[in-house]
Amino acid sequence: MMDYKKIAEEIIHHVGGKENVSNLTHCATRLRFNLKDNKKADRSAIEQMIGVVGVTVGGGQYQVIIGSEVRHVYNEIMSLLGNQLEKNNDSNESDEKKSIGARFLDTISSIFTPILPAITASGMIKAVLALLVAFHWVDNTAQAYQIINFMADAGFYFLPILLANSAAKKFGSNPYLAMMVGGILLHPNFVSMVAASIESGEALSLGFLPIYNATYGSSVVPIILSVWFMSYIEKYADRYSPKMIKFFTVPLITILVTGIVSLVVLGPVGYIIGNGIAAGITFLDLHVGWLVPMVIGGVFPLLVLTGTHYGIIPIGANNIMTVGYDAMIGPGNLASNIAQGGASLAVGLKTKDRAIKELAVSAGITAVCGITEPALFGINMRFKTPLYSSMIGGAVGGLFIGLFGVKRYASGSPGLMTLPVYIGEDGFRNLIFACLGAAIAFAVAFVVSFVLYKEKNIEKDTIEELDTLLDDQYTESNPANSISIFSPADGKVIPLTEIKDAAFSSEAIGKGCGIIPENGLFVSPVDGTVEMVFETKHAIGLKSDNGAELLIHVGLDTVKMGGKPFEVFVASGDRVKKGDPLLKADLEMIIDEGYETTTPIIMTNFDGFSTIKTAPKQDILAGKLLLEVGK
């Protein structure tokens, strides 16, 4: 079982400490940090943590990919941060350093990510109801149906209030005042007044100020604009109100001014923008309905990779809430997710490596169910050809879906579990074409991935001996044909598969082997440059003169020891030759505190090379040949 508190503590440490975090949200699989300075974060250290799938930076956010356990880690981090976020936000200047595009994506993602569970709940209830009605198990005129249906509608109708809360946190204003603004836009009396005005033809007005005849249930843009405006009014009211009566004057001025401006200006502007987006999507749907689902199906993995996919998800939600369906974003996303699962499963079927097979199969099943990060980062990005295959499959499936006008009628993470959201007024026709599109995406991605994926020319279960290369007299490398990497320590060689750390044994970081050291002295295995010395001194990154990028990670999980057992003799940027001392470790202290001394020696850029041969499982001396890498 994961120790969520320990993971949280390590993540906070490696992102630069509490003082470097200005905001934090999470989605289905990721922690989404806004950091004051991304350079203070130790990406490599985070990626090596047990429980972390990967790290990506995009859309103005520093994103740590955890998987399905993300909510538990998030709760622990928020508990540890306490009120530090408020202090950091008071002096936060990080947004000013970002581009306009990054700031926009960050804002949209930060506002929509927290409310996705509510939207998903509403969408899934709607999907279940549609399924029950389609099979004639429930009558849509029955009282039970009507009650469950309005429960589902609540998440959509009161969306402005949900958005108000998350927008207030993003813009640094009072969330309860923001939700009150959402309540103003949704108040039954206002809705009745608008209906009466439309029927009678008499315009609504607040004194001499005209009020646009619009209702804001299920709307998106009006409340975001209103809360953004409110954040400035609240700050000015707080700044200029007398200290003794601030408690009364700040909320009074904030709500009165924001409420009036929202009804007269911002609400109508947002309403028009929302309808304009929907009209543009409808135009595309009528004239080139195949285009957007095909493009989304093809490029969505790249958007997920950079974390910018949440920038377009609101467009699909806006379509459902304005025109009643989404024919582009969600359907294209469905094709992409299913294709990623197909590409990963093909690798699982073809590979002979047991660890890769297990990861590829489990990640593929997760992907077809709607969560693609394990497949994307664990398999598809790692081997490249499955990524290309998933993009091809997603584009072909998206094209089919677009050509047949497939629509989804509710939100949810696109995958097999949410297919019922495609049940519409035409019975099962729309659902059938959605299923066919998903099947095409899966089949194309699976076949292309199976054909393109090539197992590396190495048998992991039988370590090759290097014969003459391991002769005691061998001291020189052969740069014309290969790269030689020598042992950095005396000890016993073991294959990566025997290392009790999934990040290393699965080869997610790179290829190589492990050494169980006999003494604490570690020397350079190559001629090259020190690329990185970790702050906790437990690991060193090197780049050899002939292009090999190496990681020497002394012990397992020793990052938690805070550098106590280590003495480092080099610094980043230093030139080293084979045999130069790098660091010394107190192996007894490591063992006494419950950690393993097993030291992975990893070539992190192996993808650019063809073969790797590893010394057999036996004792080895520092300076003897350990790895031979073919160019």
Side-chain angles (χ1 to χ4, degrees):
M1 181 177 177
M2 294 174 65
D3 189 333
Y4 304 121
K5 187 173 183 180
K6 282 188 177 181
I7 293 174
E9 290 172 346
E10 288 186 39
I11 289 176
I12 290 175
H13 173 72
H14 291 309
V15 297
K18 297 179 182 180
E19 296 74 15
N20 197 37
V21 181
S22 60
N23 192 38
L24 173 63
T25 57
H26 77 88
C27 55
T29 58
R30 306 182 186 207
L31 296 169
R32 293 172 167 267
F33 288 92
N34 292 107
L35 302 181
K36 289 187 173 184
D37 186 356
N38 284 354
K39 294 180 181 178
K40 291 183 179 180
D42 189 342
R43 179 170 183 167
S44 180
I46 297 173
E47 289 177 331
Q48 292 176 46
M49 288 176 56
I50 295 175
V52 173
V53 177
V55 175
T56 186
V57 181
Q61 295 178 327
Y62 194 92
Q63 302 167 29
V64 180
I65 304 160
I66 302 294
S68 59
E69 305 289 326
V70 66
R71 179 173 56 87
H72 303 290
V73 179
Y74 169 83
N75 290 338
E76 290 292 346
I77 292 179
M78 291 302 292
S79 176
L80 293 170
L81 290 175
N83 62 355
Q84 186 67 44
L85 289 182
E86 295 180 12
K87 294 179 182 178
N88 292 346
N89 280 323
D90 289 340
S91 58
N92 183 37
E93 298 177 357
S94 61
D95 280 351
E96 298 175 4
K97 302 176 184 177
K98 300 175 184 175
S99 66
I100 293 176
R103 290 166 64 182
F104 174 78
L105 288 174
D106 171 39
T107 299
I108 295 299
S109 176
S110 297
I111 291 173
F112 270 87
T113 299
I115 70 164
L116 287 179
I119 295 178
T120 300
S122 293
M124 289 307 300
I125 294 173
K126 284 280 192 181
V128 171
L129 286 176
L131 199 60
L132 295 175
V133 171
F135 282 105
H136 303 289
W137 293 337
V138 171
D139 186 349
N140 59 8
T141 62
Q143 192 175 66
Y145 174 91
Q146 299 296 331
I147 292 173
I148 301 298
N149 191 51
F150 84 67
M151 288 171 58
D153 284 338
F156 295 118
Y157 182 81
F158 293 104
L159 185 64
I161 295 178
L162 302 179
L163 289 170
N165 183 284
S166 56
K169 293 175 181 177
K170 177 59 183 174
F171 296 133
S173 54
N174 187 301
Y176 300 100
L177 293 178
M179 288 189 285
M180 184 175 176
V181 174
I184 291 171
L185 296 179
L186 298 176
H187 199 285
N189 288 355
F190 174 64
V191 174
S192 298
M193 293 173 70
V194 169
S197 175
I198 294 173
E199 185 176 346
S200 65
E202 295 182 10
L204 283 176
S205 64
L206 181 60
F208 63 90
L209 299 174
I211 295 178
Y212 192 76
N213 283 337
T215 55
Y216 301 103
S218 302
S219 63
V220 173
V221 183
I223 190 62
I224 294 177
L225 292 177
S226 298
V227 176
W228 169 76
F229 176 77
M230 190 196 86
S231 67
Y232 288 97
I233 297 301
E234 186 178 8
K235 289 175 184 175
Y236 285 123
D238 182 70
R239 181 181 303 173
Y240 296 110
S241 292
K243 189 173 182 179
M244 294 181 62
I245 58 172
K246 273 186 179 182
F247 181 79
F248 305 102
T249 57
V250 172
L252 170 64
I253 295 171
T254 300
I255 288 298
L256 197 58
V257 173
T258 304
I260 292 173
V261 173
S262 296
L263 291 174
V264 175
V265 180
L266 298 177
V269 168
Y271 181 82
I272 293 169
I273 291 174
N275 284 345
I277 293 173
I281 295 295
T282 302
F283 176 84
L284 291 174
D285 190 25
L286 290 173
H287 295 86
V288 282
W290 54 270
L291 179 62
V292 178
M294 182 183 72
V295 173
I296 294 294
V299 306
F300 207 81
L302 303 181
L303 299 179
V304 175
L305 184 64
T306 57
T308 56
H309 55 302
Y310 281 103
I312 65 171
I313 286 177
I315 298 175
N318 183 76
N319 294 340
I320 294 173
M321 295 162 195
T322 50
V323 298
Y325 61 84
D326 170 29
M328 297 191 174
I329 308 302
N333 192 357
L334 171 68
S336 175
N337 288 359
I338 297 294
Q340 285 218 56
S344 181
L345 287 168
V347 173
L349 180 64
K350 189 172 183 180
T351 184
K352 297 178 182 178
D353 186 302
R354 186 172 59 185
I356 295 175
K357 184 181 292 289
E358 291 177 357
L359 176 60
V361 172
S362 63
I365 293 172
T366 303
V368 298
C369 290
I371 303 297
T372 60
E373 275 88 346
L376 177 61
F377 290 92
I379 297 296
N380 299 349
M381 270 296 297
R382 178 177 167 187
F383 299 112
K384 302 299 187 294
T385 54
L387 174 64
Y388 308 145
S389 305
S390 70
M391 294 175 69
I392 294 170
V396 175
L399 175 62
F400 177 89
I401 283 173
L403 289 173
F404 284 89
V406 174
K407 302 176 177 65
R408 67 167 181 169
Y409 297 94
S411 297
S413 183
L416 297 182
M417 303 300 292
T418 56
L419 281 175
V421 301
Y422 291 89
I423 298 176
E425 296 176 353
D426 56 354
F428 286 103
R429 179 186 178 279
N430 190 68
L431 174 63
I432 290 171
F433 283 122
C435 292
L436 288 174
I440 291 171
F442 181 92
V444 171
F446 184 93
V447 170
V448 175
S449 180
F450 191 86
V451 171
L452 294 182
Y453 175 74
K454 303 295 183 184
E455 194 86 313
K456 296 291 184 181
N457 186 25
I458 179 173
E459 287 293 332
K460 290 177 60 64
D461 294 331
T462 57
I463 306 299
E464 284 193 47
E465 296 195 14
L466 302 183
D467 301 326
T468 57
L469 294 179
L470 286 172
D471 189 274
D472 288 346
Q473 302 301 314
Y474 185 89
T475 57
E476 299 296 329
S477 62
N478 186 5
N481 301 315
S482 61
I483 297 175
S484 296
I485 299 167
F486 300 89
S487 177
D490 298 342
K492 183 177 181 179
V493 180
I494 63 171
L496 280 185
T497 50
E498 294 186 14
I499 293 179
K500 299 174 183 178
D501 186 324
F504 296 112
S505 62
S506 67
E507 296 186 343
I509 299 173
K511 291 185 180 291
C513 63
I515 291 179
I516 302 174
E518 291 182 357
N519 58 60
L521 181 62
F522 292 84
V523 299
S524 177
V526 293
D527 295 344
T529 305
V530 178
E531 292 285 293
M532 179 184 295
V533 177
F534 284 69
E535 183 180 348
T536 48
K537 305 177 185 178
H538 71 291
I540 291 180
L542 301 169
K543 185 171 184 179
S544 73
D545 291 339
N546 40 21
E549 296 178 5
L550 303 174
L551 173 68
I552 302 174
H553 191 286
V554 182
L556 302 180
D557 229 12
T558 47
V559 63
K560 299 176 182 177
M561 300 185 74
K564 289 186 295 182
F566 304 108
E567 180 183 0
V568 177
F569 307 122
V570 293
S572 295
D574 285 357
R575 285 281 307 163
V576 291
K577 288 190 172 295
K578 181 173 76 75
D580 287 349
L582 297 177
L583 67 85
K584 188 174 183 180
D586 187 336
L587 301 183
E588 290 186 4
M589 180 186 294
I590 293 174
I591 294 170
D592 289 344
E593 295 199 17
Y595 299 96
E596 289 197 29
T597 59
T598 303
T599 299
I601 315 297
I602 304 295
M603 184 174 179
T604 57
N605 65 332
F606 178 74
D607 285 348
F609 297 83
S610 59
T611 60
I612 185 169
K613 294 181 180 180
T614 307
K617 187 176 178 180
Q618 64 178 24
D619 292 336
I620 194 170
L621 296 176
K624 295 301 180 181
L625 192 66
L626 181 68
L627 303 170
E628 189 78 6
V629 183
K631 291 184 177 180

